[in-house]
Amino acid sequence: MAKHVFLTGPPGIGKTTLIQKATEVLKSSGVPIDGFYTEEVRESGRRIGFDVITLSGRRGTLSRLGSDSSTARHEYRVGQYIVDLVSFEHLVLPVLRNVDLGSDTGKKVYVIDEVGKMELFSRSFIQAVRQTLTASGTTILGTIPIPKGKPLGLVEEIRSRKDVKVFNVTKENRDNILQDIVTTVQDCRK
């Protein structure tokens, strides 16, 4: 029986959009929900990085474009982006540390968008995700990247868990998969 729901698919396919829509539907049906999602930051039509936004509306930097000449003190890089680990952890860790052990109202849902290369620079984040996966009163609605290149430890761990249902988001299904996602999350909470 699934306890957690993760969406996967190529970048730009609509995983975050589906997470946001599912969050709205779950919230409006009274499901206790918390967590975060990532959003592209654009300047003059060009992507310059990513922000983290908590469901309570707090926003912070996840990454920004870095120049090749930038000093070695920012060592967390993914491609052309420099990851702001301090900002990410400052916003995300308090949300995940609030994981309680459930209540009479059913399990709380935690949105984790995403468990990806940038986020996995944080050992504290990895630990918090593992704790949330094993906490009895929680259901995660999250996103993971499709396998590409070197496997990411926690991503593969999540993908292979028996209590995780993974939805593969495609151009063909992204417009009619929302209800399945919401229903699966609701079933996970029972």
Side-chain angles (χ1 to χ4, degrees):
M1 176 71 184
K3 193 182 144 193
H4 306 291
V5 176
F6 281 84
L7 312 184
T8 192
I13 199 73
K15 298 180 295 290
T16 297
T17 303
L18 278 165
I19 290 273
Q20 290 168 320
K21 287 178 178 173
T23 298
E24 287 313 306
V25 173
L26 291 162
K27 232 187 224 172
S28 66
S29 66
V31 172
I33 193 162
D34 203 352
F36 74 94
Y37 60 92
T38 48
E39 190 172 271
E40 272 189 0
V41 179
R42 291 185 166 273
E43 211 170 70
S44 330
R46 178 174 169 244
R47 184 164 76 192
I48 59 160
F50 295 90
D51 276 357
V52 172
I53 300 151
T54 66
L55 295 190
S56 60
R58 293 181 61 210
R59 174 186 280 263
T61 302
L62 171 60
S63 66
R64 286 297 179 271
L65 281 175
S67 66
D68 291 332
S69 62
S70 56
T71 56
R73 64 187 181 87
H74 315 96
E75 263 324 279
Y76 302 109
R77 290 185 84 110
V78 174
Q80 58 198 5
Y81 299 100
I82 293 174
V83 179
D84 186 338
L85 216 52
V86 174
S87 165
F88 172 69
E89 289 183 343
H90 178 73
L91 269 177
V92 166
L93 294 179
V95 172
L96 293 177
R97 291 209 172 110
N98 285 337
V99 170
D100 56 23
L101 300 172
S103 62
D104 302 336
T105 56
K107 295 177 178 171
K108 185 166 186 173
V109 174
Y110 284 88
V111 171
I112 302 179
D113 172 29
E114 88 172 336
V115 180
K117 221 178 231 175
M118 291 185 186
E119 297 82 0
L120 292 176
F121 281 121
S122 167
R123 289 187 185 285
S124 303
F125 174 70
I126 292 171
Q127 199 178 354
V129 171
R130 283 190 175 128
Q131 281 169 339
T132 310
L133 281 164
T134 56
S136 60
T138 62
T139 290
I140 296 175
L141 172 58
T143 62
I144 52 177
I146 50 172
K148 179 181 138 217
K150 189 169 156 247
L152 302 171
L154 182 59
V155 172
E156 294 315 309
E157 205 177 293
I158 289 168
R159 194 187 311 280
S160 63
R161 284 178 68 106
K162 294 196 176 6
D163 62 353
V164 168
K165 165 85 173 132
V166 177
F167 284 94
N168 194 12
V169 181
T170 64
K171 270 195 181 92
E172 293 71 42
N173 71 8
R174 67 182 175 194
D175 295 327
N176 47 33
I177 196 176
L178 178 63
Q179 192 51 56
D180 285 349
I181 293 166
V182 169
T183 304
T184 306
V185 171
Q186 286 167 328
D187 289 346
C188 287
R189 296 182 62 244
K190 291 177 181 155

